[in-house]
């Protein structure tokens, strides 16, 4: 039987965590300070966001909009919102 690898956010998150989990994600904050977090930490926090959205009543197919800087928290939203089954819209 052939194993299929689907290109989903969940698959991408698992791969980033497994292969690059200790590598840094570096963001420059509006204050100009650098913030460092690993891919493993980023994926863990994205899963927490996904669970929090579900606890807030966000259901698969619901739309969630984001407005933010290009930093690690926005990356967490890019992963976490689709993991919750919601549709991500950037403003």
């Amino acid at each position: 039987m052939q194993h299929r690898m689907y290109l989903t956010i969940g698959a991408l998150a698992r791969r980033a965590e497994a292969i690059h989990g200790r590598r840094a994600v570096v963001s420059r904050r509006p204050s100009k300070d650098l913030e460092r977090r690993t891919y493993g930490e980023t994926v863990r926090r994205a899963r927490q966001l996904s669970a929090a959205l579900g606890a807030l009543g966000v259901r698969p197919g619901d739309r969630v909009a984001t407005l933010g800087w290009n930093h690690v928290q926005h990356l967490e939203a890019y992963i976490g919102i689709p993991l919750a089954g919601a549709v991500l819209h950037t403003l």
Side-chain angles (χ1 to χ4, degrees):
M1 184 161 102
Q2 183 179 6
H3 176 72
R4 290 192 175 127
M5 176 69 168
Y6 294 100
L7 187 59
T8 64
I9 294 295
L12 292 172
R14 286 188 300 276
R15 182 172 173 84
E17 193 173 36
I19 296 175
H20 303 291
R22 299 171 95 188
R23 290 185 185 237
V25 177
V26 181
S27 298
R28 183 173 302 279
R29 306 297 298 157
S31 65
K32 306 292 185 203
D33 294 331
L34 293 180
E35 180 178 2
R36 295 178 189 276
R37 193 173 295 158
T38 67
Y39 276 99
E41 292 167 327
T42 302
V43 171
R44 179 184 52 79
R45 289 175 52 96
R47 287 190 183 109
Q48 288 175 333
L49 172 62
S50 177
L53 290 171
L56 289 170
V58 174
R59 299 291 170 242
D62 286 353
R63 290 153 186 86
V64 177
T66 63
L67 176 63
W69 292 93
N70 183 16
H71 52 57
V72 69
Q73 288 83 5
H74 215 189
L75 176 59
E76 291 165 0
Y78 266 75
I79 298 167
I81 293 168
L83 284 178
V87 178
L88 171 65
H89 287 284
T90 56
L91 302 176

